Amino acid sequence: MALTATATPKVRQDIVRQLHLDSPQTFVSSFDSPNLSYAVIPKKDSLRSICALLDKYKDESAIVYCFSRGDTEKIAAQLALRGFKAAAYHAGLTANVRQNNQEKFIRDEIHVMVATIAFGMGIDKPDVRLVIHHSLPKSIEGYYQETGRAGGDGLPAQCVLLFSYADKMKQEFFIEKAENAVEQKNMRQKLDEVMRYGNLAACRRRFLLRYFNENYDEKSCGNCDACAPSLKDIATDAPSYRMNGRTARDGQHSENLDYDRQLFEHLRTVRTKEAAILNVPPYVVFGDRTLREMAAYFPQSAAALLRITGVGDRKCAQFGETFLAVIRWYAKRHNLAENAGRSGIAAHASPAREKPIYTGSTYDETKQ
């Protein structure tokens, strides 16, 4: 059995050929991640752009991918000077430093990981809300895999590429060093596809899906800067705004769910403490989707809490009273009643990373 997350038809053929598989069955599902938004902005004053983007996701997890080890160190240091909890990750660091920084990121002790592509393999952190590419990726496959580390919990997340022709020249310099002519040609073709993506005026989601040979016939995905013009201004300073008496930041509310930002932050603090006691990453206690629903519906009892996405009998018994105590305290302080107007709370949240099945998919056959 050969398994891979993002393989073009050519790569799938190579797998079959190199493993000498005889008439194998191939099972393919959709590559689409509808919760991810895609945007490309000019790489001008990149540090300012990165800071503006990170400000919109204050205290939430983000990854900034860089081309070189030097860039990761420099940007991580500059972000730290500006008050962001950031660290660097690249192959030049000792194994202990890399492991320590990775653990801090997973446990929310730092919020921004500035890294080369050495970071991310096997990382299972579902609440990454933002992935920024400070430099051009080497290929669309690489870009798709790296952006795919955002929004693993199915909540909205942003993927932003800082686009520059100077970065293309850097890539070409290393391509020229490749001794194999076939390899050089392959690397140039992949870089050309990345440049096409950066210069694209049409739907970026359609481009990405068609690259992996998946048809996408929607006129507009509504979640890239070509289909949603508002995403063109994502790197500008955006003040907080009020929403039904509660504070939220653009891009930080789930599936149009109106949740109380202050309560959400209180619940995150409790989650961090519980995770520290158990020595596990915070998302193991409860994911962001769960906390957002708690902050939207203000459950006051175990029965109401069990209707929240991600709360089962075991977690309700283990953590229920701790989180309910905070919700009751906050609700009393702000004169808020349990929001029971919507029956079956969990029905209002889409499953994490649920992907639509496109025509020709073998998803149903795989399930059988």
Side-chain angles (χ1 to χ4, degrees), residues 300-312:
Q300 305 286 300
S301 65
L305 191 64
L306 282 167
R307 293 199 298 270
I308 298 289
T309 302
V311 182

Side-chain angles (χ1 to χ4, degrees), residues 64-364:
V64 181
Y65 279 108
C66 299
F67 180 74
S68 69
R69 299 175 183 181
D71 282 346
T72 63
E73 297 278 3
K74 179 181 177 181
I75 292 173
Q78 290 173 328
L79 292 177
L81 286 173
R82 286 160 177 77
F84 294 99
K85 294 180 180 179
Y89 188 107
H90 59 73
L93 298 172
T94 66
N96 285 340
V97 171
R98 291 199 305 271
Q99 181 66 26
N100 187 46
N101 287 350
Q102 179 175 305
E103 286 296 320
K104 286 182 177 179
F105 182 66
I106 290 174
R107 296 176 185 276
D108 290 343
E109 295 174 23
I110 62 171
H111 299 125
V112 185
M113 184 66 81
V114 187
T116 61
I117 58 172
F119 177 75
M121 300 304 291
I123 297 301
D124 183 19
K125 184 171 173 57
D127 56 354
V128 175
R129 299 268 70 84
L130 174 67
V131 170
I132 301 171
H133 276 78
H134 173 264
S135 310
L136 286 178
K138 294 180 180 179
S139 67
I140 293 298
E141 291 99 321
Y143 179 73
Y144 183 86
Q145 289 175 2
E146 289 148 22
T147 57
R149 286 160 194 149
D153 53 9
L155 296 179
Q158 286 190 324
C159 308
V160 183
L161 169 63
L162 305 187
F163 187 68
S164 166
Y165 279 91
D167 284 342
K168 181 188 179 185
M169 295 173 65
K170 290 181 184 178
Q171 298 274 15
E172 288 177 334
F173 174 78
F174 286 96
I175 291 175
E176 288 295 329
K177 288 190 171 184
E179 296 180 359
N180 187 296
V182 175
E183 182 183 357
Q184 274 192 355
K185 181 180 178 181
N186 187 39
M187 292 168 72
R188 284 198 179 94
Q189 288 177 342
K190 289 185 175 183
L191 181 58
D192 286 343
E193 289 295 326
V194 172
M195 296 304 294
R196 280 188 59 205
Y197 176 80
N199 286 308
L200 201 63
C203 177
R204 298 192 192 280
R205 188 178 309 277
R206 183 183 299 115
F207 177 93
L208 291 172
L209 295 181
R210 288 185 176 176
Y211 183 86
F212 291 103
N213 205 36
E214 177 176 343
N215 290 327
Y216 186 81
D217 298 324
E218 298 293 331
K219 292 182 179 179
S220 169
C221 77
N223 207 16
C224 76
D225 54 357
C227 298
S230 61
L231 288 174
K232 293 182 183 296
D233 302 318
I234 53 177
T236 58
D237 293 328
S240 298
Y241 62 89
R242 300 292 293 181
M243 199 165 60
N244 294 341
R246 302 172 197 148
T247 302
R249 275 186 179 270
D250 188 20
Q252 288 184 331
H253 52 284
S254 163
E255 313 288 354
N256 298 318
L257 182 65
D258 183 1
Y259 69 96
D260 190 300
R261 181 69 195 188
Q262 288 184 322
L263 176 55
F264 176 74
E265 291 300 335
H266 286 304
L267 294 172
R268 286 185 72 193
T269 300
V270 174
R271 177 179 67 178
T272 299
K273 291 179 179 178
E274 292 295 315
I277 293 171
L278 296 173
N279 196 31
V280 297
Y283 63 81
V284 172
V285 177
F286 285 127
D288 279 2
R289 178 184 294 276
T290 300
L291 299 192
R292 291 186 186 196
E293 288 194 21
M294 290 182 188
Y297 300 115
F298 313 110
Q300 305 286 300
S301 65
L305 191 64
L306 282 167
R307 293 199 298 270
I308 298 289
T309 302
V311 182
D313 291 335
R314 185 182 62 82
K315 286 196 174 183
C316 186
Q318 187 174 8
F319 305 113
E321 279 307 312
T322 301
F323 283 84
L324 284 172
V326 175
I327 297 169
R328 291 176 189 135
W329 163 79
Y330 188 86
K332 183 177 180 180
R333 182 180 179 184
H334 295 277
N335 196 28
L336 299 170
E338 181 174 295
N339 184 355
R342 302 179 185 180
S343 61
I345 290 171
H348 292 271
S350 59
R353 212 80 174 195
E354 185 70 24
K355 296 183 178 181
I357 303 306
Y358 63 94
T359 304
S361 167
T362 57
Y363 180 83
D364 290 332

